[in-house]
Amino acid sequence: MSKVSEKREKQAQAKSTLARKLVTAALIIAAFAAVAYLGLHKRGHRLDAFAQCLAAKQVKMYGAYWCPHCAEQKEMFESSFHYVPYVECGVTGSRDEALVCKDAGIKHFPTWQFADGGREEGTLSLPTLGNKAGCDLP
């Protein structure tokens, strides 16, 4: 075999080895990404039925975009919060309260209103919300 042929063969082997390593690394990364996505997706939706139950029981949360306790309350629901009936009381760009919240007599955030007219102010645990509304946690 000539030196040129040997050199080409070594280059081809090096390219083949590099390609295999890249494909293997890509497959490993894809596998980790798939496991992480599926794990987060499943966990994030575990509260969907609970949040939908609160909505069916006419439970409503009044909050403000600037309120850290409201953000904390929303985070408890993970990705399922969008099912919870929510009234935004903050007026964008100010600390004023929206008229709908003033008319409802909301003084503190968050405020939870229940179908029987009862209210609870402050961040509530999910079990407390479930007990007050008659909704079971998963």
Side-chain angles (χ1 to χ4, degrees):
M1 219 193 297
S2 71
K3 288 186 177 189
V4 173
S5 298
E6 287 179 22
K7 187 175 182 180
R8 284 185 186 155
E9 188 176 322
K10 285 182 182 180
Q11 287 176 343
Q13 285 177 343
K15 285 182 182 178
S16 176
T17 302
L18 178 62
R20 268 187 289 216
K21 287 180 180 179
L22 289 174
V23 167
T24 302
L27 288 173
I28 290 170
I29 290 169
F32 276 111
V35 168
Y37 172 77
L38 292 174
L40 292 174
H41 183 73
K42 183 178 179 184
R43 192 185 101 211
H45 293 282
R46 72 183 177 89
L47 296 172
D48 283 358
F50 179 70
Q52 290 169 342
C53 178
L54 293 177
K57 301 278 185 156
Q58 300 175 357
V59 176
K60 189 184 310 183
M61 178 184 156
Y62 290 89
Y65 68 91
W66 46 261
C67 165
H69 300 294
C70 300
E72 179 186 343
Q73 187 76 78
K74 291 175 185 179
E75 287 173 11
M76 289 181 185
F77 284 89
E78 300 166 359
S79 64
S80 301
F81 185 76
H82 65 96
Y83 292 112
V84 176
Y86 175 75
V87 179
E88 177 58 54
C89 295
V91 176
T92 305
S94 75
R95 295 281 254 187
D96 290 340
E97 189 176 330
L99 186 58
V100 66
C101 299
K102 286 180 183 178
D103 290 346
I106 304 300
K107 303 286 184 213
H108 303 285
F109 305 113
T111 294
W112 287 93
Q113 183 168 327
F114 299 90
D116 64 2
R119 287 188 178 170
E120 289 285 331
E121 295 176 340
T123 306
L124 300 181
S125 69
L126 297 183
T128 299
L129 278 169
N131 288 337
K132 290 197 168 290
C135 294
D136 294 326
L137 276 167

